[in-house]
Amino acid sequence: MLVHRRIQAWLQANPFKVDTTLMLFGVLFFVLSATAVGSPHPVFDIVVSLGIVVPLAWRRTRPVLSGSITAFFCLMQVIFSGFPLPADIVVLATVYALAAYAPRWASLGGLALALIGGMLFVFRYFANPFEGLGTMTAAMFVFNVIAFDAVILVAWTFGDLARTRRLALQALEDRARRLETERQQERDLAAADERSHIAREMHDIVAHSLSVIITQADGARYASAQDPEIAVKTLGTIAETGRGSLREMRRLLGVLRGDELASTRPLPSLADVDSLVDAVKRAGLEVSVHRTGAMRRQLPAGAELTAYRVIQESLTNVLKHAGPSVRADVELEWTSRGLEVRVFDDGRGAGADAAPPAPPAAGSGQGINGMAERVALYDGKLVAAPAVGGGFRVTAFIPYTEA
């Protein structure tokens, strides 16, 4: 069965080679047969036989050209030859090829010419053209014409069925290719979305942790000269922050590796906001949290993670850009439509941000852009801008997900 499929695949992939081989065998058989007919014009019969058989080599690659050449030599035979030739059987293969591979107009035109040619063939070789039907009765003439044309019509029908099957297979192959292309595009989009998600997670984890660590290290370096105990406390904060970041990194990498245990570990949520604020306080930033309103329905875990990341990123930016002696406030307000998160500070970041923006460096702006993308995934809205009177303000609204 496998050998049969390979042979069939090779035959379909090399139509010209197959048809050329058949044509060569046809030339050997029909040309030799033409010399044995006993015609008074053997050279003419050989030339006509070649003109009918040789176009078989192009019956699939150039069916219209092949059919035209065959029709021309058949007409020459009917006009000038007094004997039918064995090569005339090739006309059926030509009619089949026109129906299967030629354009529709050529297929129908070839059928009409072949039917007319069948009638002329009967009249020329089975009746005396100079004495009417001669010994052949009208009924016999009609019967022979119908028989010849029926064979031609059967050949055309088989060719048309082959054409229909070929077009159906091509349509299926085209559909399969389109589906494969669409699946590949979906995989590419999913991979791009996952890369974006990982980049946001990495930024939130690394940027926050490094900001706390750098702030603590710089503060300890200057303060340890006055009070050595500060260095001990600061090193503890740095170690705890580093361990928390390492846990987050391991969880994220575990998800990437397909680690089922890592993927089921809980993600940060609104319940972890107090722990986040405590860590930021230990870094030297004065932060207060205010909660108002009542939750009408539970937010999805991803939405709570988004709110957590917005607070984390906003406090990280305060540590990095607001300057010394800064106070930050975090407000969580539950409304009838969803959760509104507000983080604002009274630092100097507003003054810098109020100036005309310079062209961003590579990788800059990822924090605010990442927050906006996260919030947009849950049909929310984020606004980050300098506050009136100084400081910076970040406001994010995450609506309830309606069932």
Side-chain angles (χ1 to χ4, degrees):
M1 190 66 179
L2 182 60
V3 175
H4 171 72
R5 289 182 178 177
R6 288 182 178 178
I7 294 175
Q8 185 178 9
W10 186 87
L11 293 176
Q12 292 176 350
N14 301 275
F16 182 73
K17 294 180 181 179
V18 175
D19 293 340
T20 302
T21 304
L22 293 177
M23 179 269 293
L24 293 176
F25 281 107
V27 167
L28 292 176
F29 177 76
F30 292 117
V31 171
L32 292 177
S33 300
T35 60
V37 171
S39 171
H41 306 289
V43 176
F44 177 79
D45 291 342
I46 291 175
V47 172
V48 170
S49 297
L50 288 174
I52 294 174
V53 175
V54 170
L56 282 177
W58 300 281
R59 70 186 185 94
R60 281 189 281 185
T61 56
R62 290 180 174 85
V64 177
L65 176 63
S66 174
S68 300
I69 295 174
T70 300
F72 173 78
F73 280 97
C74 287
L75 180 62
M76 293 297 101
Q77 176 194 349
V78 170
I79 295 174
F80 297 108
S81 179
F83 294 89
L85 299 173
D88 292 334
I89 195 69
V90 175
V91 173
L92 297 178
T94 302
V95 171
Y96 175 92
L98 286 171
Y101 307 109
R104 199 64 178 173
W105 65 266
S107 170
L108 297 175
L111 174 63
L113 289 177
L115 293 176
I116 296 173
M119 182 180 65
L120 294 176
F121 186 86
V122 172
F123 182 76
R124 179 71 174 84
Y125 297 117
F126 294 93
N128 191 332
F130 303 103
E131 299 179 3
L133 296 178
T135 58
M136 179 181 289
T137 64
M140 183 64 69
F141 176 77
V142 172
F143 175 79
N144 287 334
V145 170
I146 292 175
F148 273 80
D149 285 352
V151 174
I152 293 172
L153 188 59
V154 168
W156 183 89
T157 301
F158 278 111
D160 194 63
L161 290 175
R163 172 195 185 90
T164 302
R165 181 176 179 273
R166 178 172 56 84
L167 294 178
L169 289 176
Q170 288 180 353
L172 290 175
E173 291 174 356
D174 292 341
R175 184 171 182 271
R177 282 194 294 269
R178 289 196 300 270
L179 289 176
E180 180 61 29
T181 301
E182 291 174 1
R183 282 195 294 267
Q184 183 61 42
Q185 291 175 345
E186 290 175 357
R187 288 193 291 266
D188 293 342
L189 291 175
D193 182 69
E194 186 63 22
R195 285 194 297 269
S196 177
H197 172 72
I198 293 171
R200 289 194 299 266
E201 289 287 337
M202 294 286 287
H203 176 273
D204 292 338
I205 295 170
V206 175
H208 171 74
S209 303
L210 290 181
S211 296
V212 173
I213 291 172
I214 292 171
T215 302
Q216 289 286 293
D218 286 341
R221 183 176 59 183
Y222 295 111
S224 60
Q226 303 295 330
D227 187 359
E229 292 296 327
I230 293 179
V232 177
K233 296 179 181 179
T234 303
L235 289 176
T237 302
I238 291 174
E240 184 178 349
T241 303
R243 280 192 293 269
S245 300
L246 185 59
R247 285 193 300 270
E248 290 285 319
M249 290 289 291
R250 284 175 175 171
R251 181 194 62 78
L252 182 60
L253 295 176
V255 172
L256 294 178
R257 290 194 300 264
D259 186 351
E260 295 182 359
L261 180 60
S263 62
T264 56
R265 290 170 186 164
L267 295 170
S269 64
L270 293 176
D272 299 300
V273 171
D274 291 332
S275 299
L276 173 65
V277 169
D278 290 339
V280 174
K281 285 181 178 180
R282 289 194 295 271
L285 178 65
E286 185 178 353
V287 185
S288 61
V289 180
H290 307 279
R291 293 180 174 86
T292 57
M295 180 170 50
R296 182 167 64 89
R297 59 184 301 177
Q298 186 71 36
L299 287 176
E304 290 202 13
L305 175 62
T306 296
Y308 177 91
R309 294 301 189 197
V310 168
I311 298 172
Q312 183 185 52
E313 178 65 26
S314 300
L315 294 178
T316 299
N317 289 337
V318 174
L319 283 172
K320 291 164 60 177
H321 306 299
S325 303
V326 178
R327 173 182 175 83
D329 291 288
V330 178
E331 295 181 357
L332 300 173
E333 181 181 358
W334 293 97
T335 67
S336 59
R337 296 175 54 242
L339 172 65
E340 185 166 344
V341 178
R342 293 185 290 270
V343 181
F344 51 91
D345 64 85
D346 56 0
R348 66 187 182 190
D353 291 330
S364 63
Q366 293 301 314
I368 294 178
N369 291 339
M371 287 192 292
E373 290 173 1
R374 283 180 179 275
V375 173
L377 287 177
Y378 293 92
D379 299 325
K381 184 178 179 180
L382 182 134
V383 178
V388 178
F392 202 81
R393 186 182 187 92
V394 177
T395 302
F397 175 74
I398 304 175
Y400 293 113
T401 301
E402 298 297 338

